[in-house]
Amino acid sequence: QVKLVESGGGSVEAGGSLTLSCAASGVTYSGGACMGWFRQTPGKEREEVAAIFTGRGTLYYDESVKGRFTISEDNAKNTIYLQMDTLKAEDTAMYYCAYDYHALPRDCRTGSWSNEYSHWGQGTRVTVSS
């Protein structure tokens, strides 16, 4: 059973930076998987902000974070990261990472796997004050 643990959330002023981490354990499939970062605020739908197909370098970014957020991976540690720069108050949310090995790289690249992820972390909170 894959388990995902996020860390790195916190409070920061607008314009600042944070780096989130998502460590995956129990991964037995070696063919790569789509791992995504989502965020959600009360009363709003969860949105996928970035995704990466592990081992392939295939990336996806939502328009709202392009140029400010960077997703990356460390395959040796089964960990993905979300470097968040130039943070805005509207980035305030609970951030979750997700994992699914059924996705193809093109699914990951287009953000079309958003509703199909099978494993989720517990989330880490990001608060950006203006």
Side-chain angles (χ1 to χ4, degrees):
Q1 179 76 0
V2 174
K3 181 179 179 183
L4 306 173
V5 178
E6 301 97 333
S7 61
S11 298
V12 64
E13 292 187 353
S17 300
L18 281 174
T19 301
L20 306 183
S21 301
C22 173
S25 60
V27 174
T28 57
Y29 180 68
S30 60
C34 191
M35 294 187 72
W37 283 103
F38 288 75
R39 64 187 180 189
Q40 188 170 27
T41 54
K44 291 189 176 181
E45 288 190 5
R46 183 178 57 201
E47 62 173 346
E48 187 172 23
V49 297
I52 185 168
F53 195 92
T54 61
R56 297 284 190 94
T58 305
L59 306 177
Y60 163 80
Y61 293 102
D62 183 78
E63 286 295 327
S64 64
V65 305
K66 273 184 181 178
R68 300 189 300 120
F69 290 11
T70 304
I71 189 170
S72 62
E73 63 174 325
D74 184 335
N75 270 335
K77 296 181 179 179
N78 279 339
T79 299
I80 64 168
Y81 304 93
L82 187 67
Q83 172 70 37
M84 305 185 294
D85 297 317
T86 319
L87 282 162
K88 306 175 181 179
E90 52 263 42
D91 295 318
T92 295
M94 185 71 88
Y95 283 73
Y96 300 89
C97 75
Y99 168 97
D100 198 282
Y101 70 85
H102 296 96
L104 298 174
R106 64 170 182 265
D107 299 319
C108 210
R109 184 180 69 243
T110 60
S112 62
W113 206 253
S114 295
N115 295 321
E116 307 296 334
Y117 285 94
S118 56
H119 296 84
W120 293 86
Q122 82 290 347
T124 186
R125 186 173 301 278
V126 172
T127 303
V128 183
S129 57
S130 56

